[in-house]
Amino acid sequence: MDVIELASGPARASLALHGAELLRWSVGGTPLLWDKDQTFWDGTAPILFPLVGWTRGGQARVFGQTYSLGLHGFARSMTFSPGVITPDRVRLTLSSSAESLRLYPFAFWLCVGYRLAKDSLTTTLTVKNRGEGPMPYACGLHPGFRWPFAGGEPKDYQISFAAQEDPLTPGISRQGLFQAARRRVPLNGRGLALKPELFAEEALCFLNARSRGLRFEHKDGAAIAIEMSNFNHFALWSKAGASFLAIESWTGHGDPEDFQGDLFEKPSMRILAPGAVAHHVARYSFIAPPSG
């Protein structure tokens, strides 16, 4: 069983044990996740753990030693174990192992839960520190939605944030590191008109976002609404010529350009006490266009 299928009324979803990655989500026959095309990106909705973003030189430092933690950590490349499975929900788990300890010297337990409803999909990340000391970590969700998902052209879509966001976002170097320099995003109030050129210089990262949610909207009223709990950053990303918009929820982010410290010192890392558990939730809802 490499792929698990979920169903709830008119909604369908499938996910892989490899990386606990969501592969497909549709409502009423409308596909909402993009069809993977390795020419542009080999993912659909990877799970990010125990890091988000790039590390300097692909290395992380812990207790004076370096570990090969590259882009977004390793959970996306590991096989999860199936737990509870019902027609409309599943829980997949990953525990620290000899393999993971070579990359990240902490004992952890990670559970990825999916719950499908007739017009929504909820993803929950549960992180537990199984070690005897504090554990630094970051996690994130990285779904790539069809763009366009409701017909028309890419320019017919916008992002509407729940709150007014800072229009100045970090520049990102060619090595994926966060720069001190800021670039201005052309927000119009709480709205951002979408066009492919926005992503010519990498992702738009709204750090410490005021919004707990946003809407990816077509001009006719169709939308994908996202509500997040215990994530503090949003990122928007696409690639020239690709038919997706990744709308990412993060607890952490890539290394700053001048950062040379330990994981415990890295900006935006969470520190989990021994035996402690943290939950991070995102709910994705599809809003069909008004009839008539």
Side-chain angles (χ1 to χ4, degrees), residues 3-7 12-15 24 85-89 116:
V3 176
I4 297 171
E5 306 286 346
L6 301 180
R12 299 290 183 271
S14 63
L15 51 120
R24 286 177 290 279
I85 302 177
T86 69
D88 62 355
R89 71 182 68 183
L116 186 66

Side-chain angles (χ1 to χ4, degrees), residues 203-216:
L204 304 179
C205 303
F206 296 88
L207 302 185
N208 300 308
R210 300 183 182 97
S211 301
R212 297 297 92 193
L214 59 77
R215 289 166 62 101
F216 176 25

Side-chain angles (χ1 to χ4, degrees), residues 36-184:
K36 184 188 302 186
D37 182 344
Q38 295 192 7
T39 302
F40 300 103
W41 179 38
D42 63 357
T44 52
I47 301 298
L48 316 183
F49 177 87
L51 288 181
V52 173
W54 288 98
T55 56
R56 175 185 293 276
Q59 302 289 316
R61 292 153 294 281
V62 183
F63 306 136
Q65 297 188 39
T66 57
Y67 295 85
S68 297
L69 273 173
L71 177 64
H72 295 321
F74 53 72
R76 61 191 183 135
S77 63
M78 292 191 169
T79 299
F80 283 63
S81 299
V84 175
I85 302 177
T86 69
D88 62 355
R89 71 182 68 183
V90 64
R91 287 162 55 95
L92 305 176
T93 62
L94 179 70
S95 295
S96 51
S97 62
E99 181 184 4
S100 75
L101 290 169
R102 287 193 293 269
L103 303 171
Y104 173 70
F106 300 96
F108 69 88
W109 180 80
L110 172 66
C111 178
V112 182
Y114 292 101
R115 181 174 182 178
L116 186 66
K118 65 179 183 179
D119 59 1
S120 67
L121 177 72
T122 300
T123 304
T124 302
L125 301 182
T126 303
V127 181
K128 181 176 182 179
N129 180 358
R130 298 171 59 236
E132 297 180 354
M135 182 181 86
Y137 80 96
C139 64
L141 302 172
H142 193 316
F145 297 103
R146 287 177 180 251
W147 180 27
F149 65 85
E153 302 293 327
K155 66 181 180 180
D156 297 331
Y157 292 77
Q158 71 167 9
I159 294 292
S160 292
F161 291 98
Q164 181 72 53
E165 297 296 341
D166 188 343
L168 298 179
T169 64
I172 300 177
S173 74
R174 292 185 178 181
Q175 292 75 38
L177 304 179
F178 278 44
Q179 300 172 324
R182 293 294 186 259
R183 49 183 169 156
R184 182 172 293 275

Side-chain angles (χ1 to χ4, degrees), residues 17 28 33 57 65 97 108 111 117 130-131 133 148 163 169 171 191 193 219 230 255 262-263 270:
L17 293 184
L33 288 182
Q65 297 188 39
S97 62
F108 69 88
C111 178
R130 298 171 59 236
T169 64
K219 64 181 182 180
N230 207 16
D255 281 7
D262 189 279
L263 276 186
R270 303 285 180 95

